Amino acid sequence: MATGVSAGCLATGCASVSAPAAAPLTSAFIPRQARPSRPAQGQWVASTCQGCTQWCAIQILVQDGRATRVRGNPLSKTNHGYVCPRGHLIPQQMYDPDRIKVPMKRTNPVKGRGIDPKFVPISWDEALDTLAEKMMALRKSGETHKLVYMRGRYSPTSTELLYGTLPKVFGTGNYFSHSAICAEAEKMGPGLTQGFFGYRDYDLEKTNCLVCWGTDPLASNRMVPNTMNRFPDIVKRGTVIAVDPRLSNVAAKAHEWLPISPGTDGALAGAIAHVLLTEGLWNREFVGDFKDGKNLFVAGQIVDEAAFAEKESYGLVKWWNLELRNQTPAWGEQVSLIPAAQIQRVARAMGKAAPRVVVWMGPGVAMSPRGTYAAMAVYALNGLLGSIDVEGGVWQSPSGPPLAPFPKADAYVDEIAKAGSKGKKLDGRGAKDMPAMMNAKPGSGVVTNNVANGMLKDPGAVKVFISTWSNFAFSATGAQRWEKALAAVPFFVHMVPSASEMTQFADIVLPSTFNSAEGWSIVTNMGNGHAYASIQQGAIKRLWDVKQEETEVMWLLAEKLKAKGFANLFDYYAKEFKDPETGKAPTTALEFSEIAAKMTSAPIWAAKEPLKGDAPILGWADFKKKGMFSGPRYTLKKGWGGKFATETKKFEFYSETLKKGLAEHAKKYETSIDDILGVSGYVARGELAFVPHYEPVKRHGSVQDFPLTFIDYKSRLNREGRSANVPWYQEFKKVDPGDVSWSDVVKMNPKDGAKLGLKSGDTVTITSMAGTISCQLKLWEGVRPGTVAKCYGQGHWAYGRVAAQDFGKATPRGGNNNEILVDDYDRLSGATARNGGFTGVRIQKA
């Protein structure tokens, strides 16, 4: 490097810097002469990070047309002007020399891992003409439903021009989002108790007890910059509790670390609830109290429902009688392996701090084969503690700045499209054994990972497959299934910034913009009590022939389809979209892209009446400069007073909402709710199915054959898997507790290592019922005995020269967790199981 500093020194802060010859010798005892600070030369351009689903508003320093630095937008009330490590990776990702630079087509018809596709460059004209021809063949044969579209990361607004419009106007019901491999199951907790099927916000500024359960918000999940900003004050004034089998970043700094036996979260939650009730620590303002003031919650004893007067909640006594009365701390210790004394101590700390308590539940709780009930059990603690919609507690989505919906496309949907949109979906949602009850409506949730199974069961179901910003052949459990399914697809188009494992199966590869700095969109989200809208814009000069997949590519594809006799899609774009400032219709792909962003955000920058929240935005130019607009502060007690979106309009410890949904699904199949639960893999029967409860771990692999339990977790550097090909990712990998730079390690407790005769540095194989991978072993006390932990992200065999050990030979750097994680689901939500100790493994020296 020009400064003489090695990459290792940048990571560790070592002093091996080759100074200019004329520089005086210095040491730690001789202060260096301070140099005058120099302000960065260039322009800070507003945009939005796309490294996780927080969508932080950012600014990119542009110098001579190139992005050189990233920081949080100083106007942001959510990230406070900061970004987490993922944001700082944007320039390296954008200028990755292995990015796809031009469209390409496959010349080798044989598909498979390690098989050279023999891609050759082609023009955009040829690429989209070929795709349009394949699509038109489906319309002519009456098979529009055999067009499948799947999206990975997307923008919340402009995605509708692809995900919402293309399938509808062309005529297919087979379009699927990635969300069910991400975090859908955790939404079932708040959804089936308070009627909010969404990501929660948290009042960390005033929280006195933070319980991070199956999540590490200092590293991943959502709102990382806000958590990093608020966390030190919470540690000083209150109590931080981490429930995680692994010593996460939060656990390393917590007052209490509970290294739970994976998958037993429902049992631990039940034991904590038992203590809160028997010791009278529930929040009476929210939950209510016994009519005579005497606490009748006594271990093992049934309570008369009529003796308790509830306020904002419903069914507490039912929950006690059906589930909690025998779940003492001693019982909780037997199941969760957390000492009874610690369970009691933690419950008392939570009760003492109530209602300024946040039980922050993450995917580690819910993404297991029976995760819906674990999510309900953990989230219900917020209800017991009265922390719902109060200061220092757990909030729903705040009201945000208004956005304009895109024009309806109904008039452009012909009879062929209407017919093609009907029929069963490839993901199996709504099947008897796959209720997929997002929003408590059977069949309403996506089952992303099951699409591969649908393709394998019916090889003729897909003739044209389009996917954007995705890599399901790497990022979905049972990844090998995706390789088989993709290899059999007659025509596959992949639109991505960087080639990946999934790209190796494509027939046409289209280079997408890196949207944080090269594309147009409007992003909406919330955090720290404010909903906000932020912009993504073309901040830099594009180095390569890339196009924004949701707008530019759709415009150009629509042009091609029109030239071949199907004008509906193009007419919708060209006739319904007008520049809010000039009234002009778009004439080019780039104009369409910017006009779409202007249209949806016009209520902010061209507001007819003053908006609540930030100072007014004075026109489109001002919005591009400021980059964001935040709405007013969250309204407390939003759901109190009978305004929860549940069947009872109250916080439901006995979920009438779930009961209604299950009854509807059972009626469809002319059977009982118990039968539905049975075929879907749940243990509960009868009334127990409607309360939060512990479902025993469903484990793949006997303890005799697979004695260790495997834990998958996420890196703070992963950018959802899109950063492994940049040097900073590999060099700074050690910021994840227990991990090693430029390597891939599985962490094992030293006690287990001694039993198996293994030591740190050994190359080992990890084998499950799904497959075998290889990586390095590290003995580490940060994982409980009987379990092994491995960070998701390494194991790429086709993501570039840095990500792979040997890209040319398809040799991975380490192993991909998803090749050993078994393909299974939480069937009430449709979410992929990847946590909760459901995969048993054995580890041997290679």
Side-chain angles (χ1 to χ4, degrees):
M1 299 177 66
T3 61
V5 185
S6 71
C9 290
L10 286 175
T12 61
C14 66
S16 58
V17 179
S18 54
L25 295 175
T26 60
S27 75
F29 302 103
I30 304 175
R32 294 176 183 267
Q33 184 175 355
R35 296 180 180 180
S37 60
R38 296 179 181 178
Q41 300 298 312
Q43 179 185 7
W44 288 101
V45 180
S47 193
T48 305
C49 182
Q50 211 157 330
C52 78
T53 49
Q54 182 53 55
W55 302 93
C56 281
I58 60 171
Q59 291 180 330
I60 299 172
L61 182 63
V62 180
Q63 299 175 299
D64 298 323
R66 298 286 295 271
T68 58
R69 286 175 55 192
V70 177
R71 70 183 183 188
N73 191 322
L75 297 177
S76 174
K77 293 181 170 66
T78 300
N79 64 30
H80 315 283
Y82 298 99
V83 291
C84 77
R86 292 189 289 272
H88 293 295
L89 292 175
I90 287 174
Q92 280 210 357
Q93 284 190 286
M94 194 157 48
Y95 298 123
D96 181 353
D98 288 341
R99 266 188 71 178
I100 306 167
K101 301 172 180 65
V102 296
M104 298 184 294
K105 72 176 180 181
R106 184 185 207 93
T107 60
N108 182 2
V110 182
K111 298 181 179 181
R113 181 185 293 213
I115 296 175
D116 186 355
K118 298 187 185 299
F119 288 126
V120 297
I122 56 174
S123 65
W124 276 97
D125 185 70
E126 179 183 350
L128 294 177
D129 191 72
T130 303
L131 173 56
E133 190 67 35
K134 297 289 185 181
M135 292 174 66
M136 288 304 296
L138 295 182
R139 283 192 67 85
K140 291 173 183 176
S141 64
E143 297 179 306
T144 58
H145 60 286
K146 293 188 177 182
L147 170 71
V148 173
Y149 170 63
M150 294 191 71
R151 67 181 184 181
R153 176 47 52 224
Y154 56 89
S155 77
T157 52
S158 64
T159 184
E160 286 306 308
L161 303 178
L162 169 51
Y163 188 76
T165 302
L166 176 65
K168 182 176 183 178
V169 174
F170 184 78
T172 180
N174 283 313
Y175 56 102
F176 310 98
S177 184
H178 76 282
S179 55
I181 68 169
C182 183
E184 291 296 86
E186 70 174 81
K187 297 178 183 177
M188 299 295 274
L192 297 174
T193 53
Q194 73 178 78
F196 177 61
F197 289 86
Y199 296 115
R200 284 72 62 207
D201 195 7
Y202 308 96
D203 187 15
L204 300 184
E205 182 181 10
K206 297 182 179 180
T207 296
N208 288 335
C209 181
L210 174 62
V211 185
C212 294
W213 200 314
T215 187
D216 185 1
L218 288 176
S220 60
N221 206 265
R222 301 161 65 84
M223 308 180 196
V224 174
N226 185 46
T227 307
M228 293 171 71
N229 185 64
R230 302 293 191 194
F231 191 81
D233 289 338
I234 301 175
V235 172
K236 291 177 184 177
R237 70 171 177 263
T239 304
V240 175
I241 299 163
V243 183
D244 201 311
R246 170 186 69 97
L247 187 70
S248 63
N249 292 272
V250 165
K253 303 174 185 297
H255 300 92
E256 297 272 2
W257 174 36
L258 285 68
I260 188 172
S261 178
T264 62
D265 304 87
L268 179 59
I272 290 174
H274 181 96
V275 174
L276 292 173
L277 292 174
T278 56
E279 297 192 8
L281 298 175
W282 73 88
N283 183 270
R284 286 160 175 78
E285 181 187 8
F286 184 80
V287 178
D289 201 359
F290 286 100
K291 294 176 181 177
D292 63 2
K294 181 181 179 181
N295 185 4
L296 300 180
F297 292 125
V298 178
Q301 294 187 15
I302 295 288
V303 173
D304 181 5
E305 292 182 37
F308 197 92
E310 290 188 87
K311 293 182 179 179
E312 305 297 335
S313 67
Y314 170 85
L316 175 64
V317 177
K318 284 181 181 290
W319 186 27
W320 168 265
N321 290 338
L322 288 167
E323 173 73 356
L324 298 179
R325 60 192 176 93
N326 294 318
Q327 294 185 338
T328 64
W331 173 87
E333 177 177 356
Q334 289 180 343
V335 179
S336 71
L337 305 185
I338 300 300
Q342 188 176 30
I343 293 174
Q344 192 172 49
R345 185 170 67 245
V346 162
R348 288 170 176 170
M350 294 165 67
K352 180 180 178 181
R356 293 176 181 250
V357 180
V358 163
V359 181
W360 188 328
M361 176 189 63
V365 172
M367 295 189 74
S368 62
R370 296 165 179 156
T372 285
Y373 287 115
M376 290 177 68
V378 172
Y379 191 78
L381 295 175
N382 287 303
L384 273 184
L385 296 163
S387 64
I388 305 296
D389 289 345
V390 298
E391 279 192 350
V394 179
W395 296 346
Q396 301 174 57
S397 296
S399 300
L403 294 181
F406 288 123
K408 292 184 179 298
D410 295 355
Y412 302 89
V413 181
D414 61 18
E415 293 305 315
I416 294 176
K418 290 177 182 177
S421 296
K422 298 177 181 178
K424 291 184 178 180
K425 292 177 178 285
L426 272 175
D427 66 344
R429 70 182 74 177
K432 182 179 179 180
D433 64 347
M434 187 69 78
M437 293 174 49
M438 193 52 57
N439 297 312
K441 298 176 181 178
S444 62
V446 65
V447 194
T448 311
N449 204 13
N450 206 33
V451 172
N453 296 326
M455 293 166 69
L456 291 170
K457 289 176 184 177
D458 184 359
V462 182
K463 287 191 174 181
V464 178
F465 187 88
I466 303 172
S467 191
T468 60
W469 277 64
S470 57
N471 189 16
F472 299 115
F474 182 88
S475 60
T477 60
Q480 303 91 327
R481 298 171 304 114
W482 281 95
E483 294 184 23
K484 294 177 182 177
L486 290 167
V489 172
F491 187 74
F492 170 37
V493 176
H494 206 201
M495 288 191 280
V496 283
S498 301
S500 66
E501 285 74 14
M502 195 167 170
T503 314
Q504 305 306 307
F505 297 86
D507 296 280
I508 296 286
V509 183
L510 299 178
S512 171
T513 49
F514 194 84
N515 292 331
S516 291
E518 295 176 326
W520 286 104
S521 188
I522 305 300
V523 173
T524 54
N525 212 335
M526 55 83 186
N528 195 36
H530 295 272
Y532 60 88
S534 61
I535 196 170
Q536 286 186 329
Q537 57 183 315
I540 63 157
K541 297 177 182 177
R542 297 179 183 178
L543 292 185
W544 301 301
D545 192 12
V546 298
K547 300 188 185 300
Q548 213 274 353
E549 73 282 358
E550 297 165 342
T551 52
E552 295 173 59
V553 176
M554 286 301 97
W555 175 274
L556 295 172
L557 176 60
E559 283 186 325
K560 289 292 185 183
L561 290 170
K562 182 176 182 179
K564 295 181 184 298
F566 178 64
N568 299 38
L569 189 63
F570 183 81
D571 287 349
Y572 167 66
Y573 292 153
K575 294 179 181 180
E576 301 294 335
F577 286 73
K578 300 287 190 299
D579 188 316
E581 286 185 304
T582 67
K584 292 181 179 180
T587 59
T588 68
L590 276 171
E591 286 180 357
F592 175 64
S593 188
E594 183 174 0
I595 286 173
K598 293 175 75 172
M599 287 176 64
T600 192
S601 60
I604 296 174
W605 55 265
K608 296 180 180 179
E609 297 180 359
L611 301 178
K612 295 181 180 180
D614 286 350
I617 301 290
L618 306 177
W620 175 241
D622 191 36
F623 187 50
K624 288 195 295 181
K625 181 179 179 181
K626 291 179 179 176
M628 71 171 304
F629 182 88
S630 296
R633 184 77 169 167
Y634 184 75
T635 302
L636 298 179
K637 298 188 176 181
K638 192 174 181 178
W640 292 44
K643 291 180 287 186
F644 287 111
T646 58
E647 283 299 302
T648 63
K649 306 302 180 184
K650 293 190 174 187
F651 189 99
E652 295 182 343
F653 294 119
Y654 180 94
S655 182
E656 297 285 357
T657 304
L658 174 58
K659 187 176 184 178
K660 180 181 178 182
L662 282 172
E664 180 183 337
H665 192 62
K667 182 178 180 180
K668 176 182 176 182
Y669 290 97
E670 300 180 342
T671 188
S672 67
I673 291 176
D674 281 356
D675 183 38
I676 294 295
L677 291 169
V679 297
S680 299
Y682 298 91
V683 174
R685 299 291 185 271
E687 294 283 278
L688 185 63
F690 312 129
V691 298
H693 67 270
Y694 169 60
E695 290 263 327
V697 178
K698 177 186 177 184
R699 194 176 194 269
H700 290 274
S702 68
V703 176
Q704 180 179 356
D705 295 330
F706 303 97
L708 298 165
T709 297
F710 186 81
I711 304 168
D712 171 89
Y713 66 95
K714 302 298 181 288
S715 167
R716 67 190 313 167
L717 299 170
N718 256 90
R719 289 189 64 82
E720 298 184 319
R722 293 188 297 275
S723 54
N725 200 51
V726 302
W728 282 5
Y729 175 89
Q730 301 294 345
E731 182 60 33
F732 298 138
K733 196 68 185 66
K734 57 190 171 187
V735 302
D736 294 314
D739 270 16
V740 177
S741 295
W742 293 93
S743 185
D744 187 26
V745 295
V746 59
K747 277 73 70 179
M748 175 186 287
N749 191 281
K751 293 180 180 179
D752 294 320
K755 293 177 183 177
L756 297 172
L758 298 173
K759 62 181 184 303
S760 291
D762 285 346
T763 299
V764 296
T765 58
I766 311 174
T767 300
S768 73
M769 293 182 69
T772 298
I773 60 175
S774 178
C775 65
Q776 299 293 306
L777 177 72
K778 181 172 181 178
L779 300 182
W780 187 53
E781 294 178 343
V783 61
R784 66 167 303 112
T787 64
V788 291
K790 185 172 173 295
C791 188
Y792 165 81
Q794 299 284 44
H796 283 286
W797 54 270
Y799 203 63
R801 289 167 286 184
V802 175
Q805 189 68 39
D806 190 329
F807 179 80
K809 297 180 180 179
T811 304
R813 186 186 299 280
N816 178 12
N817 293 3
N818 287 315
E819 293 181 25
I820 58 173
L821 287 170
V822 177
D823 170 40
D824 203 349
Y825 305 85
D826 170 51
R827 293 172 179 265
L828 284 177
S829 66
T832 290
R834 65 181 318 115
N835 303 112
F838 78 106
T839 297
V841 299
R842 62 174 176 267
I843 295 184
Q844 299 169 307
K845 191 171 182 178

